[in-house]
Amino acid sequence: MQDLNWSKLPFGYVKTYYNVRSVYKDGKWGEIEVTDNECVNIHMAATVLHYGQACFEGMKAYRGKDGKIRLFRWKENAKRMRHSCEGIYMAQVDDDLFYKMVSKVVEINKDFVPPYGSGATLYIRPFLFGSGPKVGVQPADEYTFMIFVTPVGPYFKEGFKPIKIAVVRDSDRAAPLGTGTFKVGGNYAASLRGVIKAHDAGYGAPMYLDCREKKYIDEIGAANFFAIKNNTYITPESSSILPSITNKSLEELAEFLGYKVERRPVEFTELPGFEEVGACGTAAIISPIGEINDLDTGKIYKYCPDGKPGPVSVKLYETLVGMQFGDVEDPFGWVTVFDF
Ligand code: PLP
Ligand code: COI
């Protein structure tokens, strides 16, 4: 194994020892294969290559002070992957196979779970795609489910420091009755125009507004949006955003910590009234937002005047991350501790 500078890792790909795979054929999933092959050999007419039959999940394994490796709410990822598969007519994986493959791939790559205190984690990427051939537009008969892992650092280079966001109105990542609630590859292809536009303007990620009226806030790149006002955790209700497991956990945690919680359409015009705003997700964890630039009007909304995350974001971050690493008691039963 190569020497890794754990505390300097970016959010990117590092080769590990093995990945795991299973193929769905004739109506059932086959044996789990463990391989060090980083490539996939599929039919050139596979539906994933032409018609975008593909979905993925993003999870992390956390190493605690006790050296033990933990997972956070894996059943929610398994459930969301089935929701994605259902949404684009792919074969589904039950909890049992999902957990078997996740635990296997973490165990055989456990050297790559970063040490406690390094700030890094092992990112787990389950993905499933149509590997069988079709030329007409229809679902494949064969599917491949794979998981690779890679040690990662923060998604935004700022880490837990305020990030800058640009509002994008001239492209949408998903339509109101489209695939926004599914974690399918096509949404990320569609998001690239906004992502590149934001990056080119010097911003970390785009803010997407609702596509019908551009009146409500949808989400932030590959993360959900939240705001804090009057001791209330506010997050958008929308039919075109990904149901984030981190966001759902923060809603439950906020309530547990005594804050009010509102899941409702959030108007863009509410931005000046918010005390704190942030992006949340597995990769993004909680990324406080320090600046939102409306590229079309030139108006800039600023938060974190002292350059530091606000107190509610800090409290939520410390509690959530504390539970994930095993430092804070988990009263919800969200954390699974591996025994290897
Ligand atoms: N929104 C989008 C578009 C995402 O890709 C992600 C990442 O998974 C999220 C939100 C956050 O979801 P989660 O907290 O389940 O990782
Ligand atoms: C995650 O938060 O796990 C994501 O999926 C983000 C990713 C698209 C890089």
Side-chain angles (χ1 to χ4, degrees):
M1 182 180 160
Q2 76 273 43
D3 264 349
L4 289 170
N5 190 348
W6 301 110
S7 57
K8 291 267 157 28
L9 282 176
F11 190 89
Y13 181 77
V14 171
K15 183 174 168 18
T16 59
Y17 300 140
Y18 304 107
N19 60 81
V20 293
R21 341 178 150 190
S22 173
V23 174
Y24 179 92
K25 250 190 221 159
D26 303 323
K28 58 177 191 303
W29 290 101
E31 288 296 301
I32 300 171
E33 184 198 352
V34 175
T35 174
D36 62 0
N37 183 359
E38 291 170 279
C39 298
V40 192
N41 190 13
I42 52 169
H43 196 286
M44 64 183 172
T47 58
V48 62
L49 299 176
H50 303 264
Y51 307 132
Q53 261 199 313
C55 73
F56 67 96
E57 276 301 322
M59 313 160 65
K60 282 173 172 173
Y62 307 83
R63 193 183 295 279
K65 214 183 258 172
D66 54 7
K68 296 216 168 91
I69 303 169
R70 291 162 168 79
L71 276 186
F72 186 70
R73 303 193 84 171
W74 67 268
K75 276 194 185 192
E76 292 293 329
N77 292 94
K79 190 162 114 192
R80 188 172 63 191
M81 198 172 83
R82 285 192 291 275
H83 174 66
S84 300
C85 289
E86 199 179 2
I88 58 168
Y89 291 88
M90 302 198 292
Q92 297 181 30
V93 170
D94 63 18
D95 278 357
D96 189 50
L97 179 62
F98 188 89
Y99 186 71
K100 258 195 199 124
M101 287 179 62
V102 169
S103 49
K104 178 111 210 153
V105 75
V106 174
E107 183 171 12
I108 57 188
N109 291 294
K110 63 175 188 268
D111 293 352
F112 290 91
V113 182
Y116 175 80
S118 62
T121 50
L122 187 75
Y123 187 68
I124 305 169
R125 175 53 68 84
F127 57 110
L128 192 155
F129 54 91
S131 45
K134 287 284 177 199
V135 178
V137 178
Q138 48 182 305
D141 297 320
E142 183 196 299
Y143 293 88
T144 301
F145 175 44
M146 300 179 53
I147 313 181
F148 73 75
V149 293
T150 181
V152 295
Y155 189 63
F156 293 109
K157 64 178 181 345
E158 291 86 348
F160 187 53
K161 297 215 188 75
I163 56 167
K164 290 164 67 181
I165 297 300
V167 181
V168 165
R169 286 194 184 74
D170 55 0
S171 65
D172 294 312
R173 66 174 281 286
L177 297 176
T179 54
T181 69
F182 311 130
K183 201 163 166 61
V184 296
N187 293 346
Y188 295 82
S191 77
L192 289 176
R193 285 189 294 165
V195 168
I196 301 300
K197 183 171 176 176
H199 284 176
D200 285 352
Y203 288 79
M207 171 184 274
Y208 289 107
L209 304 180
D210 83 281
C211 5
R212 242 188 228 112
E213 300 177 81
K214 300 276 178 261
K215 183 173 166 192
Y216 303 100
I217 297 172
D218 251 4
E219 57 186 331
I220 307 281
N224 275 184
F225 173 84
F226 72 88
I228 306 294
K229 185 180 175 177
N230 296 337
N231 284 319
T232 307
Y233 180 91
I234 302 162
T235 194
E237 174 83 60
S238 162
S239 62
S240 49
I241 63 176
L242 192 77
S244 156
I245 296 159
T246 313
N247 197 8
K248 177 177 165 167
S249 307
L250 291 175
E251 286 174 84
E252 292 168 48
L253 208 53
E255 198 160 345
F256 178 76
L257 294 171
Y259 301 101
K260 277 191 281 179
V261 173
E262 291 178 8
R263 164 83 70 168
R264 59 167 174 80
V266 178
E267 285 199 27
F268 183 72
T269 54
E270 293 181 61
L271 274 183
F274 292 142
E275 295 152 16
E276 298 175 37
V277 289
C280 64
T282 300
I285 318 178
I286 289 181
S287 297
I289 296 173
E291 179 177 323
I292 300 174
N293 186 338
D294 187 339
L295 297 177
D296 296 315
T297 62
K299 191 159 169 40
I300 295 179
Y301 303 85
K302 293 216 181 225
Y303 304 88
C304 314
D306 54 358
K308 294 201 197 102
V312 182
S313 301
V314 170
K315 178 87 190 148
L316 290 170
Y317 178 91
E318 285 176 352
T319 315
L320 177 76
V321 173
M323 278 182 198
Q324 291 169 332
F325 282 98
D327 294 329
V328 171
E329 201 203 333
D330 161 26
F332 303 99
W334 287 342
V335 174
T336 304
V337 186
F338 285 124
D339 56 11
F340 46 76

